[in-house]
Each structure stands twice: as structure tokens, then as C-alpha cells.
């Protein structure tokens, strides 16, 4: 799940057609905190979220709200925020020595 969905449509999506399409697909984006409603759409699968603490494109508050909403729903997840890290948190995430073993250890519940 990308936290781009939690951008303020009026502030961060320059193209009005794109903003309208996003809002049509995700009406919860009209709320001040769309995370709880958005999380209700997500399956219960293992999640490890990564975010740069100094991300100047997608502020960390969006990932934090998503993390908090997932935890409030009862999901167990890992959350790593890199202090001083900017938008390309994937560099640090892919460099995490535990990532591959964590990924390989995950199993989706057969009931989902």
C-alpha cells in the first residue's frame, strides 16, 4: 500500500482529472484522516512498512496514520521509519539485512 493515497488532493495532486479519479475510487480521501476507512479495504496480510522520517514528498504522518489504523484493526505489522531519510526509503529498506528472511517467512492465511 502506498501512502500516496493520503496526500491532500487539493494540495498535492496538480492534475484535477487525476484528483477526481482518485476521489472516485477512494472516496475516503475526502476525510481529514482517511486511514481507518482505507484500512478497512485491505486484506489481512503481513506488512512491513518503511518510510523516510524527513520525506518531503509524502510526509511521514501519512504512513504513521496508516500504521496506527492497521494496529487499531488488530493487525500486527512492522514499521520502520528512517530518521533523516527522504522519499527513497526503499534504498535503506532493500539494504536491511533482515528483509529477505522476513519476506520468505511470511504466509498468507488460507482463509483470506
Amino acid at each position: 500500500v502506498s501512502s500516496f493515497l493520503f496526500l491532500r488532493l487539493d494540495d498535492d495532486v496538480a492534475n484535477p482529472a487525476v484528483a477526481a479519479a482518485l476521489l472516485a475510487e477512494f472516496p475516503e480521501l475526502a476525510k481529514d484522516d482517511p486511514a481507518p476507512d482505507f484500512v478497512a479495504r485491505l486484506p489481512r496480510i503481513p506488512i512491513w512498512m518503511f518510510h523516510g522520517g524527513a520525506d518531503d514528498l509524502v510526509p511521514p504522518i501519512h504512513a504513521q496514520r496508516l500504521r496506527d489504523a492497521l494496529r487499531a484493526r488488530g493487525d500486527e505489522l512492522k514499521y520502520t521509519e528512517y530518521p533523516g531519510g527522504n522519499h527513497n526509503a526503499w534504498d535503506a529498506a532493500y539494504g536491511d539485512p533482515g528483509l529477505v528472511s522476513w519476506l520468505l517467512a511470511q504466509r498468507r492465511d488460507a482463509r483470506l
Side-chain angles (χ1 to χ4, degrees):
V1 175
S2 175
S3 57
F4 85 90
L5 295 173
F6 299 106
L7 296 174
R8 299 285 306 171
L9 291 177
D10 54 347
D11 296 335
D12 297 320
V13 179
N15 184 327
V18 172
L22 284 170
L23 192 56
E25 183 66 28
F26 304 101
E28 58 270 19
L29 290 173
K31 296 184 175 186
D32 285 336
D33 182 5
D37 290 335
F38 185 74
V39 162
R41 295 170 154 240
L42 299 177
R44 292 179 184 266
I45 59 172
I47 296 172
W48 187 353
M49 296 175 63
F50 300 91
H51 206 97
D55 191 330
D56 60 2
L57 184 61
V58 180
I61 188 66
H62 301 306
Q64 295 161 0
R65 285 179 176 168
L66 184 58
R67 174 204 60 203
D68 294 346
L70 285 162
R71 287 182 176 159
R73 182 175 82 164
D75 291 17
E76 291 185 33
L77 68 139
K78 291 181 69 142
Y79 179 82
T80 302
E81 189 170 296
Y82 299 106
N86 205 330
H87 187 66
N88 67 333
W90 53 85
D91 287 343
Y94 290 139
D96 188 306
L99 180 63
V100 171
S101 60
W102 181 86
L103 284 170
L104 294 174
Q106 304 313 305
R107 299 291 180 266
R108 184 169 179 172
D109 189 325
R111 296 170 295 172
L112 297 176

